[in-house]
């Protein structure tokens, strides 16, 4: 999608602080971190949100979760991390390209989830 911010990051048209990349996934640090470690994991193909995951694109979604595990090891998140995917306006999704937030580096307690 030519007007999608994260598609532009995938295409290299907008710079990002990359932490992981493979043939189907890109991960980069969030520009407005909400925790000491805040990484966004996205499929390279444009999927609008979790609500748009279907049999045709589920593999790209699964690759993102596979990448989350690799990034957790790479970033040494032994003490734990939280994975969040906001979906739609009530959840506060601001970028309509599927992404998983990895939050870590502090005790997030048991609130929110
Ligand atoms: P959402 O609110 O849709 O769940 O998450 C979108 C995230 O993208 C936000 O945490 C926001 O800080 C991040 N973000 C927005 N624009 C950019 C950008 O240009 N670069 C990076 N690295 N992160 C961005
Ligand atoms: Zn996109």
């Amino acid at each position: 999608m030519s007007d999608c911010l994260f598609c532009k990051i995938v295409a290299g048209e907008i710079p990002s602080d990359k932490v992981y990349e493979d043939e189907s996934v890109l991960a980069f640090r969030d520009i407005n971190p909400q925790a000491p470690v805040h990484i966004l994991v996205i499929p390279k193909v444009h999927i609008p949100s979790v609500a748009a995951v279907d049999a045709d694109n589920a593999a790209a979604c699964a690759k993102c979760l596979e990448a989350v595990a690799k990034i957790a090891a790479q970033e040494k998140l032994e003490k734990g991390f939280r994975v969040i995917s906001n979906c739609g306006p009530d959840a506060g999704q601001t970028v309509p390209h599927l992404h998983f937030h990895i939050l870590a580096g502090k005790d997030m307690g048991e609130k929110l989830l």
Side-chain angles (χ1 to χ4, degrees):
M1 286 236 327
S2 57
D3 61 346
C4 169
L5 175 66
F6 286 176
C7 282
K8 287 180 178 168
I9 288 178
V10 169
E13 294 166 17
I14 293 174
S16 66
D17 184 1
K18 289 181 193 176
V19 299
Y20 175 85
E21 182 170 17
D22 64 31
E23 67 283 357
S24 51
V25 176
L26 181 65
F28 49 94
R29 298 195 189 279
D30 197 291
I31 204 167
N32 182 24
Q34 303 298 306
V37 176
H38 188 170
I39 295 166
L40 299 172
V41 182
I42 71 172
K44 288 187 172 177
V45 294
H46 182 84
I47 301 171
S49 75
V50 169
V53 174
D54 59 21
D56 291 334
N57 62 25
C61 184
K63 287 280 187 188
C64 287
L65 294 178
E66 197 179 335
V68 167
K70 288 179 184 168
I71 293 162
Q74 177 187 301
E75 299 291 310
K76 302 187 175 19
L77 307 181
E78 306 91 349
K79 290 184 75 180
F81 57 92
R82 182 169 287 164
V83 179
I84 293 175
S85 189
N86 294 320
C87 181
D90 274 6
Q93 183 180 10
T94 58
V95 179
H97 180 127
L98 177 64
H99 51 282
F100 297 93
H101 298 258
I102 300 176
L103 297 158
K106 68 175 185 180
D107 183 352
M108 285 170 276
E110 296 178 7
K111 299 293 182 191
L112 186 57
L113 288 176

